[in-house]
Amino acid sequence: MLSRYRYAERRIPFAADAVTTLAALARDRSGTQVGYENRGTVSWGEDELARVELHAGGARLITEDREAEFTGKPLDVVGEALAAAGIAGWRAYGWAAFELAHVLHGTASVAGPLACLMIPRKEIRLDGTSALLRATSESEVDELAERLAVAVAPGQAEDERVVVDLDHDAAAYRAMVAAAVGAIRAGEPDKVILSRAVPVDGELDLAATYLAGRRGNDPARSYLLRLGGWEMAGFSPEIVARVTPDGRVRTQPLAGTRALDGDALDVLRREELYRDAKEVFEHAISVRLAAAELDEVCVPDSVGVSEFMSVRERGSVQHLGSDVAGVLAPGKTAWDALTVLFPAVTASGIPKAAACEAIGRLESGPRGLYSGAVLTADADGSLDAALVLRSVFRYEGRTWLRAGAGIVEQSTPDREFEETCEKLRSVSRFLVPALTPAALP
């Protein structure tokens, strides 16, 4: 397809901390923006050159001078729409809501956007030693360089934190876990992840919250965004999918949890995690499903498991983690890989269709972005999708946290509730109040 737009590009030396810079860029601007961090490297996009919205009936491409509709398999049409934008060398940034799972698995009818991605007008990529600046004009590249030169990280006194009630809805959650255990014993799903929301009162400074939380967590990915009506900052413990331009695909299921409090008991908790039959079973069946899903789209015999049941430290918790990887079969794309892996097994359950049906029946309302994905996708066929957990959400005037736990037949309501509290602390300790009221643009 003939490109209608090409980016002006410039690479400049830039050795400042990438995470701190991401927070500074977010503080500096209103409007649409997505920052995505991968272990110290950052991609930042702002202002839409093109947007793709996914609904149950298909995808809509929106640019400054046209709109186009695409119908077909849900994630395939997202890829088609992005390619049809006519932008050379594009990188798209965005999110997929958990409710996309209901469409993929046929478990419920869904209203509203299922995914929203944008190709930015201006973009910054930081690798620790340099910055790649990309924009639709040289003057916009100049403006990006000037902003980087004066970027100042948000910061407030360490004792300025918003307090939340982590026991919110405790009785209702315990009852929900008991109902799920009953369903599992009756032969429904083998495992289902059930979550609960905790409201946050008052306005937050999301940029400062992101920076404080990133300093206090060691996530697989982190993100800070304002897109499609949502604002969110988060510290993802695992990836849903990573696909390289040459078709290598990887997922990273984490299942099995103990607290990580930074004290002498952490080693004992880790040893207990390895010995706990419930946690080991929960992890093993998650890895088995992830491998079976990749088998659907990968070259035969290319799927393998590495680092099986190694412990990954993620903020206030430690998890059993494994890596599952393969090579995409000829004709398969990153969107095919995301289709079979979404939603993450560690945020939905086993089998996925039965687990998604149980989630829709037992939880009190839609999850939205929680347990969906934040992702980047590139014109070269690569994709990186982080699981949306350990995040703070703002939507339609409300702010909240959310956490869940994997329920299997051996689960107890008290322990699963305790696990949600352990996970919530990865974010709740870092909530910074806003100095002035903030609002969506």
Side-chain angles (χ1 to χ4, degrees):
M1 173 175 290
L2 182 65
S3 298
R4 303 166 68 229
Y5 302 96
R6 292 187 179 276
Y7 288 103
E9 294 189 355
R10 185 182 310 162
R11 187 175 291 276
I12 61 173
F14 191 80
D17 178 71
V19 169
T20 303
T21 304
L22 191 164
L25 291 168
R27 169 67 68 81
D28 184 42
R29 298 283 290 182
S30 60
T32 299
Q33 53 184 250
V34 179
Y36 190 78
E37 182 249 344
N38 176 0
R39 311 295 287 180
T41 65
V42 162
S43 293
W44 169 267
E46 65 184 38
D47 300 340
E48 298 172 13
L49 190 55
R51 175 192 288 224
V52 173
E53 296 177 348
L54 178 66
H55 298 266
R60 178 181 300 115
L61 168 66
I62 304 165
T63 69
E64 58 189 11
D65 60 357
R66 66 187 178 114
E67 292 191 14
E69 298 285 342
F70 298 80
T71 58
K73 293 171 59 179
L75 288 173
D76 281 357
V77 297
V78 171
E80 291 172 15
L82 290 169
I87 301 168
W90 55 266
R91 171 171 291 177
Y93 298 71
W95 51 257
F98 175 79
E99 281 64 41
L100 172 60
H102 293 307
V103 174
L104 294 176
H105 296 282
T107 51
S109 60
V110 182
L114 302 173
C116 181
L117 291 97
M118 65 102 170
I119 300 174
R121 181 174 295 277
K122 290 174 279 189
E123 186 181 8
I124 299 173
R125 303 184 192 179
L126 306 173
D127 62 12
T129 61
S130 67
L132 176 63
L133 313 179
R134 307 175 82 219
T136 55
S137 69
E138 289 290 348
S139 63
E140 288 173 328
V141 171
D142 290 340
E143 185 251 334
L144 290 176
E146 291 168 3
R147 283 169 53 202
L148 274 184
V150 298
V152 177
Q156 293 186 349
E158 287 298 316
D159 59 353
E160 290 187 57
R161 293 291 185 266
V162 173
V163 177
V164 298
D165 178 14
L166 298 188
D167 290 334
H168 179 78
D169 257 0
Y173 185 77
R174 290 187 175 101
M176 187 165 55
V177 171
V181 170
I184 291 168
R185 289 174 178 167
E188 294 184 37
D190 297 322
K191 172 185 175 181
V192 60
I193 287 74
L194 293 180
S195 65
R196 64 187 181 96
V198 172
V200 177
D201 295 329
E203 295 288 347
L204 297 182
D205 183 331
L206 278 188
T209 294
Y210 168 79
L211 186 57
R214 180 60 183 85
R215 287 171 173 167
N217 282 276
D218 184 24
R221 304 288 188 272
S222 70
Y223 39 79
L224 179 61
L225 65 80
R226 182 189 292 115
L227 177 67
W230 286 84
E231 289 184 273
M232 179 171 62
F235 320 101
S236 174
E238 66 182 273
I239 57 171
V240 181
R242 177 173 175 80
V243 183
T244 61
D246 62 357
R248 298 183 181 276
V249 58
R250 173 173 166 257
T251 189
Q252 185 187 63
L254 305 187
T257 304
R258 283 295 184 274
L260 184 68
D261 291 337
D263 57 26
L265 294 178
D266 283 340
V267 174
L268 295 177
R269 295 185 188 103
R270 176 177 298 200
E271 293 172 350
E272 181 185 82
L273 184 56
Y274 276 124
R275 294 194 305 267
D276 191 306
K278 179 263 181 185
E279 304 288 1
V280 170
F281 170 76
E282 181 184 347
H283 184 80
I285 62 174
S286 298
V287 172
R288 181 180 65 185
L289 179 57
E293 290 171 336
L294 283 186
D295 273 334
E296 295 181 33
V297 296
C298 286
V299 171
D301 300 322
S302 71
V303 176
V305 179
S306 61
E307 297 187 40
F308 180 64
M309 282 203 340
S310 63
V311 171
R312 317 287 172 90
E313 296 183 353
R314 297 290 188 255
S316 59
V317 291
Q318 48 190 327
H319 296 290
L320 296 175
S322 299
D323 283 13
V324 186
V327 178
L328 287 178
K332 297 296 184 180
T333 70
W335 301 107
D336 294 310
L338 187 59
T339 295
V340 298
L341 292 168
F342 191 93
V345 59
T346 51
S348 54
I350 302 168
K352 280 187 180 176
C356 290
E357 187 281 327
I359 289 167
R361 173 167 43 86
L362 293 171
E363 293 188 353
S364 58
R367 287 182 169 186
L369 269 55
Y370 172 79
S371 68
V374 173
L375 64 143
T376 62
D378 286 73
D380 64 7
S382 59
L383 178 143
D384 199 282
L387 175 58
V388 177
L389 302 177
R390 320 294 149 78
S391 299
V392 54
F393 307 90
R394 183 185 292 157
Y395 185 69
E396 293 185 341
R398 297 187 303 116
T399 305
W400 70 96
L401 312 178
R402 192 165 189 137
I407 315 304
V408 295
E409 186 174 353
Q410 302 94 327
S411 292
T412 64
D414 286 347
R415 170 56 199 151
E416 304 305 343
F417 174 77
E418 180 184 17
E419 183 174 317
T420 65
C421 292
E422 292 166 355
K423 293 172 177 175
L424 286 164
R425 292 188 188 102
S426 290
V427 184
S428 66
R429 297 175 295 172
F430 305 108
L431 303 177
V432 179
L435 295 178
T436 57
L440 286 170

